[in-house]
């Protein structure tokens, strides 16, 4: 029981760290003075620095009743939602996979996909190193534990995932003389292939494309605007895995 409490606290802290990354990574792309440690966290409205107690996940939001203690402006509930989601996911992994190396790898894959989903959705931005990290994590978890697939199907998934989108883009480029798919999407599909295996690529691309089109239609984008295909692929792979669990 004590273990689960500690694991839950770890999850909530990771949720808080996730909010920080989602806030800073797009800024770090354009502004070299911003990094993971500088400037220290502050209220986006009044710029007052957050005290240590305001950094305690979940509880600080509830204590402060969702408002900044200096300017009383409301704090986005997205911070609280991130903390609760990560707390729940870490607890589920601890219960169903275990508190071990496999569980940790499992969580880090979720953590990276979560951040990539929101960054691509909001900024069409897939940070190179974060995106790339998915590939070794996928190969490692399948090599050590066969969690989602075998090592060979994982390596095959990585190679075919990258090549497929690269080829589709090359054909598009030959016809329209411009890139149709962002280079980050090639790496992301290579990562998803290495995590879920070569056999998962077909369903992930089918679900991912359908979801991207739905996002495109729902958000009323103009015909020339880019769509977050990476976010679609991530949701597609999550739906694919949920379907697999229910069908089994
Ligand atoms: Zn404030």
């Amino acid at each position: 029981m004590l273990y689960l409490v500690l694991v839950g606290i770890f999850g909530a802290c990771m949720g808080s760290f996730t909010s920080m990354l989602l806030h800073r990574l797009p800024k770090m792309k354009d502004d070299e003075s911003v990094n993971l440690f500088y400037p220290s966290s502050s209220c986006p409205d009044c710029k007052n620095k957050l005290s240590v107690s305001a950094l305690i996940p979940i509880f600080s939001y509830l204590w402060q009743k969702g408002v900044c203690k200096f300017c009383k402006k409301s704090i986005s509930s997205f911070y609280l939602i991130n903390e609760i989601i990560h707390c729940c996911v870490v607890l589920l992994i601890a219960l169903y996979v275990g508190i071990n190396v496999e569980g940790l790898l499992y969580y880090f894959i979720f953590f990276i996909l979560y951040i990539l989903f929101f960054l691509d959705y909001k900024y069409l931005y897939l940070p190179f190193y974060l995106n790339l990290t998915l590939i070794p994590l996928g190969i490692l978890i399948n090599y050590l534990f066969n969690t989602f697939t075998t090592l060979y199907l994982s390596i095959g998934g990585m190679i075919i995932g990258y090549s497929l989108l690269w080829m589709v883009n090359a054909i598009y480029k030959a016809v329209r003389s411009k890139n149709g798919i962002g280079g980050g999407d090639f790496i992301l599909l290579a990562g998803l292939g290495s995590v879920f295996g070569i056999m998962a690529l077909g369903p992930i691309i089918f679900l991912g494309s359908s979801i991207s089109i739905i996002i495109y239609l729902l958000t009323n984008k103009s015909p020339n605007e880019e769509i977050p295909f990476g976010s679609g692929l991530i949701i597609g792979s999550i739906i694919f895995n949920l379907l697999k669990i229910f069908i089994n």
Side-chain angles (χ1 to χ4, degrees):
M1 186 63 200
L2 176 68
Y3 276 123
L4 283 183
V5 174
L6 292 175
V7 163
I9 293 172
F10 167 75
C13 291
M14 288 303 289
S16 175
F17 181 54
T18 301
S19 299
M20 190 269 272
L21 288 177
L22 287 174
H23 184 69
R24 292 193 183 202
L25 286 173
K27 291 193 173 158
M28 282 163 64
K29 186 175 66 152
D30 304 319
D31 182 352
E32 280 188 358
S33 71
V34 178
N35 61 45
L36 292 184
F37 308 99
Y38 180 84
S40 54
S41 301
S42 61
C43 166
D45 283 302
C46 65
K47 312 285 178 223
N48 269 303
K49 286 199 167 48
L50 300 187
S51 57
V52 176
S53 68
L55 297 173
I56 300 169
I58 301 175
F59 291 102
S60 66
Y61 188 92
L62 299 176
W63 273 326
Q64 293 179 213
K65 299 187 175 69
V67 296
C68 166
K69 70 176 175 185
F70 301 104
C71 68
K72 307 293 174 204
K73 287 247 171 70
S74 63
I75 304 167
S76 163
S77 55
F78 187 57
Y79 293 97
L80 179 67
I81 294 167
N82 283 337
E83 288 157 6
I84 293 175
I85 289 178
H86 283 257
C87 177
C88 293
V89 167
V90 165
L91 284 172
L92 283 174
I93 292 174
L95 289 171
Y96 289 101
V97 184
I99 305 171
N100 48 35
V101 176
E102 186 181 15
L104 202 63
L105 289 171
Y106 208 110
Y107 172 70
F108 278 126
I109 289 169
F110 168 80
F111 169 75
I112 290 178
L113 290 179
Y114 190 91
I115 293 173
L116 292 178
F117 171 81
F118 283 105
L119 288 181
D120 194 43
Y121 182 75
K122 213 168 160 197
Y123 306 98
L124 295 165
Y125 174 45
L126 294 168
F128 179 72
Y129 290 108
L130 203 60
N131 207 358
L132 199 66
T133 309
L134 206 52
I135 296 175
L137 280 178
I139 292 177
L140 194 63
I141 199 169
N142 291 314
Y143 168 62
L144 293 175
F145 308 104
N146 287 337
T147 304
F148 299 101
T149 184
T150 64
L151 174 65
Y152 294 113
L153 294 179
S154 161
I155 294 173
M158 170 190 72
I159 297 168
I160 299 298
Y162 189 92
S163 329
L164 259 180
L165 285 191
W166 184 88
M167 270 185 333
V168 171
N169 187 56
I171 296 169
Y172 184 93
K173 208 171 169 180
V175 179
R176 302 280 295 267
S177 322
K178 62 173 185 178
N179 284 313
I181 303 173
D185 294 328
F186 308 160
I187 303 172
L188 176 63
L189 195 62
L192 292 172
S194 81
V195 174
F196 302 115
I198 194 168
M199 308 307 248
L201 286 174
I204 288 177
I205 294 173
F206 172 73
L207 289 164
S209 317
S210 316
I211 290 160
S212 300
I213 293 169
I214 294 170
I215 294 177
Y216 179 75
L217 294 174
L218 289 179
T219 49
N220 291 320
K221 286 180 183 275
S222 67
N224 288 322
E225 233 174 307
E226 284 183 52
I227 52 173
F229 184 47
S231 299
L233 288 174
I234 292 170
I235 292 287
S237 56
I238 291 171
I239 295 176
F240 168 72
N241 278 286
L242 290 177
L243 288 175
K244 228 169 75 174
I245 293 171
F246 285 122
I247 290 167
N248 284 335

